[in-house]
Amino acid sequence: MCAGGRTHGGEAFPETTRWGTDVQASLHRYALAVLICSLPFWWLGQNAQVELPAQLPISALMVVVPGLVAICIAVRSGGLSGALALVRTFRPRLRPRTGAWWAVACLTMPAVFGVVWSLQTLEGVPVWDVSVGTAWRLALALLVFLVAAAIEELGWTAYATALARDRGLVPRAGLVLGGYWAAWHVIPWFQAGHSISWVVAQSAFTVMLRVLMVVVYRKACQQAATAIPLHATANLGLVPGDGTLYDPMLTTAVLAPAILLMLGVAEPLRSSEGRGRVVRPIVLISAFLLAAPLGAQETRTPRRGWEFAGIPAVNYDADEGFGYGAVLEAYDYGAGVVKPYHTSLQPALFFTTAGRRDVTLFVDAPGLLARGWRLGGFAGLERHLTTPYYGRGNATEYDPTRENGASPHYYRFGRKRWRANVTLQKALGETPVRLLVGVGVENTSVETLPDGGSTTLISEELGGVEAPGGWLNHLRVGVIWDTRDRESGPRRGSWSEFLFQRVATALGSFAEYTRWTIADRRYFPLGLRLTLANRLILQGASGSVPFFDLSVVQSSFKVQEGLGGVSSIRGLLRNRFVGKGTLIWNLELRWRASDFGVLGRPSHLVATGFLDSGRVWREGVRLSELAHDLHHGWGGGLRLGIGRDFVVALDIGTSAEAPASTYLGLGYLF
């Protein structure tokens, strides 16, 4: 056990090192002082033609600023004795029950990079050559990193984290300081020539690392020195290839599950020192570019009336150009009687400079109809110029060189689709069983040579025959078992369903086939803030399924895609494998990290780690092969809940078959 009182690293933390009497104001003034003192370094990084080792810009020398600012504040408030007291907080003290946390501080990042480098080696990236010279280079780099980390953490940990502890913000200070820390680095990252996706991934890594530092600091009895090895070893990724081989997406994906397992069990976000207080989530500045007012306690008062929210949809794709649009959600809670809401409307607009056009509307209305009927519907016009297609089966090859020269869209086809569907669900009395009936219409036209290419995989498979297209109209029936405690981000219960879809020429379709889907989703609470979520989907089809419909994965809520991409195996290329049989297994660990307020609404932040697996069969499911030849993806992400049901989702996933990918959207995967 740590001794009581306001101690820091075994020393009494001096009140004179606080800038003013208000802790929160002191933290903001400290961050502002660090910002102002960093301006000359940023100017040098922009104008001086000097580059440091590991391809770092000259502005990276701002590493000295946080510590020097903290010392200046201490001298200003308490003279030389105040500065010495601040420095003495770095004196390590081994105490009972803190040895394990020192091991966490020293070994976590080496272990993470060990996994990252192993994965890169498996992908054919030559990370290390085993030699004495390599060992000396690594040792010298670690020494430099330790010195730099000690100077920087004199400010972020010895000064700022200690002030946050005075207000009872540990370990939530990790989110606050992590947001400051990441934002402070953004300009040097761009000066080093990194892309936006690199900066986003590195920002997520930076925030997670600071959260870990602050929690280790508290668990090790407020020993500021524990931050030094964590910070120093986090820079080891800059050593191989002089920094060119560092992959922040892959590193974040490996670090996220480790932090979730560690923090979810060892450290609930609300500390006993600050019970009942709520943090101002500055981390959202770097993660979601949203400004949050003062936090507010989450309330259980039923919501009434309408709520509106949304996010911009902006990205860049080499095939489709610059993309822009918006995804919106509107919730009508009515009188607050119908759960989870009376009606939900989710319109989406997305366009690209290369001609993609998506205009869709999703409707979910549990309370619109009488007698307990739940209405769902979708309507949309979608024009995709470069829809992926890699062939049918679980072992199709992908050769990137085929996309060079005259056939840049070899693994693509153009598709224009108009579709609409309606479903009705009815609960059987007071039981968790619901019956589903539905109908849908769809008209699809295919262009096998998008953008005037010379050849594509699908054109070669068709051998000159005209691509299938036309109407695909269907009927659906199903049965659903739902015992979730809530529909958005459940913590316990299950959601299972069996769905049967029939596409028939009698309904005006050009093809005739049957698709069945079994899905089971289960949620297990592992404590007050940690939830284990599991999803298993098995789907089969028989008949003449057109190639462009093989990627469809049925659901009683929203239709999804697979195998590969944001709704099936994150980190795998979108629709990388397709067939008449599909298996998807998703495992997620969800840690509810913080509760606060955004725009006056009770909100929360959830960190996730995930492992996705699955496979397909060309001609149908074979039960004897369920555990064979699986494809895997893994990673981590964040969920920002604003209000009761609106959730912004950010995931970073990677796999052995594709580079890391970033996904931004709405809601949970399941």
Side-chain angles (χ1 to χ4, degrees):
M1 296 294 291
C2 300
R6 187 174 294 151
T7 60
H8 191 213
E11 298 285 342
F13 190 78
E15 298 287 344
T16 54
T17 58
R18 179 187 300 172
W19 190 343
T21 57
D22 180 75
V23 173
Q24 188 175 16
S26 296
L27 284 174
H28 289 314
R29 291 192 188 102
Y30 172 74
L32 180 60
V34 170
L35 172 66
I36 293 173
C37 293
S38 300
L39 292 177
F41 293 93
W42 294 343
W43 183 88
L44 284 174
Q46 189 67 28
N47 295 280
Q49 302 300 317
V50 179
E51 188 176 272
L52 301 177
Q55 297 188 337
L56 295 174
I58 191 67
S59 54
L61 294 178
M62 69 181 189
V63 65
V64 302
V65 170
L68 292 180
V69 170
I71 290 177
C72 289
I73 294 173
V75 170
R76 177 181 179 272
S77 302
L80 182 60
S81 62
L84 291 176
L86 181 65
V87 173
R88 279 198 297 269
T89 62
F90 261 172
R91 185 166 55 189
R93 292 174 178 267
L94 293 179
R95 296 167 176 260
R97 301 177 63 178
T98 64
W101 291 101
W102 272 101
V104 169
C106 296
L107 300 179
T108 297
M109 290 313 303
V112 166
F113 282 118
V115 174
V116 170
W117 293 334
S118 297
L119 293 173
Q120 290 179 316
T121 301
L122 290 175
E123 294 174 358
V125 178
V127 179
W128 289 109
D129 59 318
V130 181
S131 65
V132 176
T134 299
W136 275 109
R137 185 158 55 96
L138 187 61
L140 179 60
L142 183 58
L143 178 60
V144 173
F145 294 152
L146 285 169
V147 173
I151 298 173
E152 190 173 340
E153 292 307 322
L154 189 63
W156 295 122
T157 300
Y159 178 77
T161 304
L163 287 185
R165 177 177 180 266
D166 285 349
R167 191 170 181 253
L169 291 179
V170 176
R172 288 171 291 164
L175 296 176
V176 178
L177 296 176
Y180 279 137
W181 199 29
W184 180 61
H185 281 87
V186 166
I187 290 178
W189 288 336
F190 279 122
Q191 289 176 342
H194 297 301
S195 65
I196 293 178
S197 60
W198 191 100
V199 171
V200 170
Q202 184 65 12
S203 296
F205 170 79
T206 302
V207 173
M208 287 194 297
L209 181 64
R210 181 56 59 182
V211 169
L212 181 59
M213 286 180 181
V214 174
V215 172
V216 172
Y217 160 83
R218 181 171 186 265
K219 285 293 185 179
C221 297
Q222 294 78 49
Q223 295 190 69
T226 55
I228 298 175
L230 262 173
H231 189 155
T233 54
N235 291 320
L236 290 176
L238 299 177
V239 180
D242 204 24
T244 59
L245 301 181
Y246 175 61
D247 186 342
M249 292 185 181
L250 180 58
T251 306
T252 303
V254 174
L255 178 63
I259 288 184
L260 287 176
L261 286 172
M262 192 180 306
L263 303 189
V265 176
E267 189 65 69
L269 197 61
R270 294 176 182 270
S271 69
S272 59
E273 303 165 270
R275 186 171 288 120
R277 298 174 180 173
V278 184
V279 68
R280 182 185 303 219
I282 298 177
V283 63
L284 303 182
I285 296 174
S286 59
F288 297 104
L289 301 180
L290 294 175
L294 283 173
Q297 293 285 4
E298 182 162 353
T299 176
R300 295 183 179 273
T301 304
R303 301 294 302 175
R304 292 179 172 84
W306 284 89
E307 281 191 357
F308 300 88
I311 60 171
V314 180
N315 76 336
Y316 177 80
D317 182 271
D319 294 323
E320 298 187 332
F322 180 76
Y324 52 94
V327 181
L328 308 174
E329 290 192 354
Y331 295 95
D332 176 17
Y333 292 99
V337 176
V338 179
K339 304 296 183 184
Y341 39 72
H342 184 276
T343 304
S344 171
L345 304 175
Q346 301 177 18
L349 301 171
F350 188 71
F351 308 94
T352 71
T353 54
R356 176 176 174 177
R357 300 289 185 269
D358 284 1
V359 181
T360 63
L361 174 65
F362 175 78
V363 179
D364 184 33
L368 186 63
L369 304 180
R371 300 181 181 273
W373 285 94
R374 181 169 187 163
L375 173 67
F378 176 89
L381 176 62
E382 302 158 312
R383 185 173 72 177
H384 296 184
L385 301 182
T386 54
T387 305
Y389 178 72
Y390 301 92
R392 310 177 212 205
N394 196 56
T396 55
E397 295 184 357
Y398 170 54
D399 181 5
T401 62
R402 298 299 301 266
E403 298 176 310
N404 299 330
S407 303
H409 297 148
Y410 180 77
Y411 293 103
R412 302 288 188 269
F413 67 92
R415 180 180 66 187
K416 183 178 181 180
R417 178 171 63 179
W418 180 92
R419 59 189 173 118
N421 62 67
V422 175
T423 61
L424 292 171
Q425 298 182 35
K426 171 66 173 177
L428 296 183
E430 300 298 323
T431 71
V433 178
R434 298 197 304 269
L435 300 181
L436 177 146
V437 295
V439 60
V441 295
E442 175 183 320
N443 185 276
T444 301
S445 59
V446 172
E447 183 180 355
T448 59
L449 297 174
D451 201 25
S454 62
T455 185
T456 61
L457 176 60
I458 187 59
S459 67
E460 292 177 356
E461 287 187 354
L462 292 174
V465 178
E466 183 180 0
W471 290 98
L472 289 176
N473 307 325
H474 72 261
L475 294 175
R476 282 207 305 166
V477 295
V479 59
I480 303 164
W481 174 277
D482 190 353
T483 62
R484 292 172 292 174
D485 56 344
R486 54 173 296 154
E487 293 192 10
S488 177
R491 297 203 65 240
R492 54 173 50 85
S494 61
W495 174 25
S496 306
E497 57 195 23
F498 173 74
L499 304 173
F500 181 87
Q501 179 189 52
R502 178 64 178 170
V503 178
T505 55
L507 300 174
S509 303
F510 75 87
E512 189 155 345
Y513 56 93
T514 299
R515 177 184 285 121
W516 56 266
T517 307
I518 300 173
D520 181 70
R521 312 164 187 88
R522 297 184 180 272
Y523 310 89
F524 307 93
L526 303 179
L528 294 177
R529 291 185 172 270
L530 199 63
T531 302
L532 181 66
N534 181 83
R535 181 180 75 164
L536 185 65
I537 296 177
L538 188 63
Q539 176 175 284
S542 59
S544 55
V545 186
F547 75 93
F548 57 79
D549 208 44
L550 290 171
S551 61
V552 170
V553 178
Q554 284 195 98
S555 171
S556 61
F557 190 61
K558 291 181 179 178
V559 175
Q560 298 180 320
E561 288 186 324
L563 193 69
V566 64
S567 60
S568 55
I569 298 184
R570 289 156 288 188
L572 205 61
L573 295 175
R574 178 187 169 203
N575 299 344
R576 175 63 181 86
F577 302 98
V578 295
K580 291 185 178 180
T582 304
L583 169 70
I584 302 173
W585 175 57
N586 308 102
L587 189 66
E588 286 193 359
L589 195 61
R590 303 170 179 174
W591 175 49
R592 186 166 177 129
S594 180
D595 295 277
F596 46 85
V598 171
L599 305 177
R601 304 178 188 177
S603 306
H604 61 273
L605 184 68
V606 174
T608 65
F610 59 82
L611 173 64
D612 301 333
S613 301
R615 64 158 298 159
V616 302
W617 293 267
R618 182 183 176 94
E619 295 299 331
V621 174
R622 296 182 180 179
L623 296 179
S624 61
E625 298 176 355
L626 287 179
H628 297 85
D629 301 320
L630 297 178
H631 305 282
H632 305 283
W634 58 89
L638 297 172
R639 300 293 182 272
L640 169 64
I642 305 176
R644 196 171 73 181
D645 297 289
F646 180 74
V647 177
V648 181
L650 173 67
D651 282 328
I652 299 176
T654 188
S655 70
E657 303 176 40
S661 299
T662 302
Y663 309 95
L664 179 64
L666 296 178
Y668 288 87
L669 177 58
F670 59 94

